[in-house]
Amino acid sequence: MRGTLSLSEESLFMTHGTLPAPATSPLPVWDLSDLYDGPDSARLHADLAAIENEARAFRETYLGQVASLDGPALGSAIATYETISERLYRILSYAQLLHAGCMTDVTIGQFLQAMTERGTAISSLMIFFTLELNQIEDATLSERLQDPTAGRYAPWVHDVRLFRDHQLSDEMERVLNEKDMAGAGAWQRLFDETIAHMTFDVEGEILTSTEALDRLSDPSPERRRAAAKALGTTLEANLRLFSRITNTLALDKRIDDTWRRYPHPMAARNLSNRVEDSVVDALVSAVRESYPKLSHRYYALKARWFGVDKLNHWDRNAPLPDSDDTRFTWEEARDTVLNAYAAFSPDLAAVGKRFFEQPWIDAQPRPGKAPGAFAHPTVPSAHPYLLVNFMGRTRDVMTLAHELGHGVHQVLAGPQGALMADTPLTLAETASVFGEMLTFRALLDATPDPRRRRIMLASKVEDMINTVVRQIAFHTFEAAVHAERQNGELSPDRLCELWMGVQSESLGPAFHFDPEYRTYWTYIGHFIHSPFYVYAYAFGDCLVNSLYSTYQQGGIPDFPSRYLDLLSAGGTKHHKALLAPFGLDASDPEFWRRGLGVLTGFIDELEAMT
């Protein structure tokens, strides 16, 4: 059967969807057998064949008929569409997670590609359904959604219809969907596998990208400098390839945007995020205007702590000179996060605890594993999985709190079903950033020593700057790249110039940048996989800061219960409706000033300590 692969001897340990942790390591590794028991699973390939047959039958039944369906029949059709979609997502989720666990294994890469190709072919059979749904007149559709079966899906239908003006014909949509595997999808895979295979020679020590980037937080300036130079050397050697990938994907997006009649490169992302252009513009303007009192002011303060006029770029995430480089065991990190969650809401912590009781987290750093961290929702009928690369630092505890927040959010939203559980990116960061804030506050409140409190507060400020300032700088870089790509290909040097321009603007005059820093844009995967994703981090951070500030001030009865309701809504409500119970409105400029004010207050506190 197509897609059935024989695994090489080197990858047999993946057959059952898990990786055994070394005996000396207490770090957990996920077990994917809740999805499927291996790439050769008979159940997986039987499911795949059945799903394809169901998709063909769905097409035969409903092609050209959607507009004529009455309310009950429309509800039944959407329910069938959801069931087929969820079964397909389960297979694709398994393939993606398997690949994330070992991105350098050729046979696993082939398995992922085979499942992606098969999944694309199946999804192409059903593209017609949403296109025909969008052709129904508003009044007619409104009447049909009065039926309880169809009405349950009203939020999803509303979101589908947001794209009415940008959809193409069924035939054209199928062509674009299937061509993506040899187009954008192929370039994205090339990027992923290039990054996964990269090694960095740091003074004779061969490190992965995760390990080399972690070294930039080392207490030793010599070790930080060596890692920074090694990163720059290897990224420079691959600069032409990364530039080609970036140019090609930007061109691909421009072509797609032109055919779909999007007015500007960010329009598609804003629409999918269900957020107005004016709200995003207000966020970006508010953050950029605040650079001097946020990042510029903080890094000038950090330079004083280091006794220098200017920081080197490898000092950006350096621990403070008097930091004790506190390390956490996995058990300490787990308990810290869960206790912080429980102090806010025992119900929230109870959901989070399941991730540690079950093998749903992969925390072990290892060669070939995807760098960074993520939470994958998989499908509502299963459960999310978390990937982190735990090195024991305080930042790793915060990352765990962040990804666990995503996981809890995904579990709570699961009952909304496969079509409505996912939130737009702007709201997807709510639980993760809130979980970070809960954990930080718990750690800070448990620390009476003023020196240690200053270190912790500085670390939190740096994390928030990375989330707000740095992500808006990333966004500004992306906007400039896509704007210039409208007029032709950008040279590697021009891409680096744009990068250095936004870095100088956002980080301020307290930094000295060596030449190798110009290539650091190349490893940022969001630019490749999800254009204009990054502003969602700043949106989420400011949103949570406003939300948390409201929580601290009191006055909102049953705040934790309302918060859990917000998470449980999944993608069924707009940000205005979700924030209304807390008296917040993201369209109000004061909302963003209030969110940024939390970060400003932390920096004020640090200056007072100094």
Side-chain angles (χ1 to χ4, degrees), residues 63 84 112 154 163 242 281 304 369 412 428 447 485 600 609:
L63 181 63
I84 297 171
L112 172 63
F163 295 88
F242 287 129
D281 291 343
R304 286 169 52 194
K369 179 182 173 181
L412 291 174
T447 305
R485 188 63 181 88
T600 302
M609 288 180 179

Side-chain angles (χ1 to χ4, degrees), residues 73-83 129 133 145 150 153 156-157 419:
L74 180 61
S76 177
I78 298 174
T80 301
Y81 178 86
E82 179 178 46
T83 299
F129 185 66
L133 191 63
L145 291 177
Y153 294 100
W156 176 77
V157 172
L419 297 183

Side-chain angles (χ1 to χ4, degrees), residues 298-320:
Y298 172 74
Y299 288 123
L301 188 61
K302 186 169 185 176
R304 286 169 52 194
W305 293 334
F306 276 68
V308 297
D309 293 328
K310 286 182 177 288
L311 295 165
N312 290 303
H313 71 81
W314 54 80
D315 295 327
R316 184 173 58 84
N317 287 328
L320 300 191

Side-chain angles (χ1 to χ4, degrees), residues 283 287 468 537-547 591-592 595-596:
L283 165 66
V287 175
V468 178
Y537 286 112
F539 191 110
D541 198 86
C542 289
L543 185 155
V544 166
N545 288 342
S546 294
L547 197 62
F591 176 85
W592 302 114
L596 293 172

Side-chain angles (χ1 to χ4, degrees), residues 63-282:
L63 181 63
Q65 304 299 317
V66 178
S68 64
L69 299 176
D70 61 16
L74 180 61
S76 177
I78 298 174
T80 301
Y81 178 86
E82 179 178 46
T83 299
I84 297 171
S85 298
E86 176 164 9
R87 295 184 67 195
L88 179 59
Y89 295 161
R90 188 186 193 98
I91 293 174
L92 296 179
S93 296
Y94 174 72
Q96 291 161 6
L97 290 170
L98 197 64
H99 185 248
C102 193
M103 298 176 72
T104 54
D105 188 291
V106 174
T107 55
I108 292 174
Q110 291 173 326
F111 172 72
L112 172 63
Q113 183 65 20
M115 294 302 100
T116 302
E117 292 178 7
R118 192 76 173 274
T120 299
I122 293 171
S123 64
S124 290
L125 294 171
M126 302 197 299
I127 282 178
F128 78 91
F129 185 66
T130 54
L131 303 182
E132 291 190 22
L133 191 63
N134 281 345
Q135 293 169 2
I136 303 175
E137 293 296 327
D138 289 341
T140 302
L141 183 61
S142 178
E143 183 271 328
R144 290 173 186 173
L145 291 177
Q146 297 303 309
D147 174 76
T149 306
R152 177 185 180 278
Y153 294 100
W156 176 77
V157 172
H158 173 267
D159 289 343
V160 168
R161 289 172 74 82
L162 291 175
F163 295 88
R164 291 174 73 182
D165 296 337
H166 308 287
Q167 70 183 27
L168 305 173
S169 67
D170 177 39
E171 185 177 48
M172 190 69 161
E173 292 286 359
R174 290 185 69 186
V175 168
L176 291 177
N177 189 47
E178 293 177 14
K179 285 277 289 180
D180 182 70
M181 291 181 294
W187 288 97
Q188 290 162 355
R189 181 181 172 188
L190 175 62
F191 172 85
D192 287 343
E193 293 186 353
T194 300
I195 290 289
H197 279 86
M198 275 186 180
T199 57
F200 301 85
D201 186 346
V202 183
E203 297 183 320
E205 188 177 359
I206 306 302
L207 303 181
T208 65
S209 60
T210 297
E211 292 167 332
L213 290 167
D214 181 72
R215 188 68 62 87
L216 296 179
S217 299
D218 194 277
S220 166
E222 292 78 15
R223 284 165 62 84
R224 294 196 302 271
R225 180 183 182 279
K229 296 294 183 181
L231 281 162
T233 298
T234 302
L235 295 175
E236 181 75 40
N238 290 273
L239 179 59
R240 291 183 62 187
L241 173 60
F242 287 129
S243 299
R244 170 64 59 203
I245 293 171
T246 299
N247 272 290
T248 302
L249 288 174
L251 176 60
D252 182 83
K253 181 175 178 8
R254 189 189 81 185
I255 294 169
D256 194 69
D257 286 349
T258 299
W259 276 94
R260 296 186 183 282
R261 301 180 299 278
Y262 284 115
H264 56 83
M266 199 166 56
R269 176 62 64 195
N270 290 352
L271 195 59
S272 67
N273 282 342
R274 290 175 294 207
V275 62
E276 300 77 10
D277 289 353
S278 59
V279 172
V280 178
D281 291 343

Side-chain angles (χ1 to χ4, degrees), residues 453-500:
R453 288 176 63 86
R454 181 172 68 90
I455 292 169
M456 292 177 61
L457 191 59
S459 179
K460 180 59 178 175
V461 166
E462 292 190 12
D463 285 343
M464 294 176 75
I465 287 175
N466 284 339
T467 303
V468 178
V469 170
R470 189 162 172 79
Q471 300 303 323
I472 292 302
F474 286 176
H475 169 85
T476 307
F477 170 74
E478 274 194 286
V481 168
H482 284 271
E484 289 200 16
R485 188 63 181 88
Q486 306 291 312
N487 302 315
E489 185 169 285
L490 284 75
S491 69
D493 285 341
R494 180 56 182 158
L495 288 165
C496 293
E497 287 173 6
L498 292 174
W499 171 255
M500 291 307 301

Side-chain angles (χ1 to χ4, degrees), residues 18 28 49 54 77 170 219 225 290 360 391 396-397 419 488 495 548:
T18 186
E54 291 165 8
D170 177 39
R225 180 183 182 279
S290 298
W360 297 355
M391 309 291 283
D396 295 320
V397 179
L419 297 183
L495 288 165
Y548 195 86

